[in-house]
Amino acid sequence: MELGFIIKVALISSSGALAPGPLTAATAAVGIKHGWKGGLWVSIGHLIVELPLVILIGLGVIAILTNDVVTQTLSLVGGIFLIFFAYLTAKDAINVKSIEASSISKSPLLIGISLSALNPFFIAWWVGIGSPLVMEALRYWGLAGIWILYVAHVWLDFAWLTGLARVTSLSRFSLRIYRILLITLALLVAMFGIDFVYYAFQGNHLLPF
């Protein structure tokens, strides 16, 4: 079950990490000039904003962990967010024309910090989708679950942003493959969203993990 949870975190995290957005576009542009190191610094900037947010969510979740109504409400909200996020991801995959931004930043670290801290959809993703995952991690491992959850999540950010920067530095990124990947992820995320909603009403999961 614990291994299944880690796999679930990685799959759901992919919906946020790989989705088209300002951070993805900026990283593609950064990669043209700075290569993979630019993507690495963007990832570090993203982590500087994201990790404190996850810890704050975790500390808040601990206080309400035993409340079944809150648990079911978070699962319902998280499920709705996941389904909506899956819809947006699939829509963007169909409509996206290019993942490259029009300008190249001189400070990849600042790009990572600013485009994370100033992105309300990033914060909403963690509040809406991340909270049920944090709650589940706390059930398995207590406070250590926050760190286990975050490691299971953040490696995707580093792998994606660093890899994207490297690929765009070579100017060989395939938009078709990018679209196929996003649509596949959208289907997986929608599946987890339905599972979250089902749990909110039935108290158990449809999926075996």
Side-chain angles (χ1 to χ4, degrees):
M1 180 64 73
E2 288 83 354
L3 178 59
F5 170 73
I6 292 174
I7 294 173
K8 177 166 68 175
V9 169
L11 289 174
I12 292 176
S13 296
S14 298
S15 70
L18 305 186
L23 193 63
T24 298
T27 302
V30 165
I32 295 173
K33 182 176 181 180
H34 299 282
W36 69 268
K37 291 182 180 179
L40 178 63
W41 281 108
V42 171
S43 301
I44 293 172
H46 181 67
L47 180 148
I48 289 172
V49 174
E50 185 176 57
L51 180 56
L53 175 63
V54 175
I55 292 173
L56 288 174
I57 291 173
L59 293 176
V61 167
I62 289 175
I64 60 173
L65 188 57
T66 58
N67 190 314
D68 290 337
V69 173
V70 173
T71 300
Q72 292 173 343
T73 300
L74 281 175
S75 294
L76 177 61
V77 173
I80 293 172
F81 263 90
L82 279 171
I83 293 170
F84 184 64
F85 206 89
Y87 162 75
L88 291 179
T89 301
K91 181 180 178 182
D92 286 341
I94 294 171
N95 295 332
V96 67
K97 302 299 182 183
S98 172
I99 63 167
E100 294 185 9
S102 59
S103 61
I104 300 175
S105 171
K106 295 181 179 179
S107 176
L109 179 65
L110 183 59
I111 279 287
I113 293 173
S114 60
L115 291 185
S116 299
L118 301 178
N119 186 349
F121 297 103
F122 156 72
I123 297 173
W125 190 96
W126 269 108
V127 173
I129 298 174
S131 291
L133 295 175
V134 172
M135 184 176 297
E136 197 169 345
L138 288 169
R139 283 203 186 97
Y140 286 133
W141 301 289
L143 285 174
I146 295 177
W147 301 102
I148 294 171
L149 164 73
Y150 192 66
V151 170
H153 163 84
V154 77
W155 74 269
L156 276 166
D157 289 333
F158 274 79
W160 168 245
L161 295 175
T162 303
L164 175 61
R166 171 59 177 167
V167 171
T168 55
S169 72
L170 301 175
S171 300
R172 296 175 184 173
F173 194 75
S174 171
L175 186 60
R176 180 173 178 272
I177 293 175
Y178 185 63
R179 283 179 171 147
I180 292 173
L181 179 60
L182 288 180
I183 291 174
T184 301
L185 288 171
L187 292 174
L188 289 171
V189 170
M191 179 178 68
F192 284 116
I194 293 170
D195 180 65
F196 275 29
V197 172
Y198 183 85
Y199 179 85
F201 289 103
Q202 299 297 324
N204 53 69
H205 292 281
L206 282 171
L207 300 176
F209 52 87

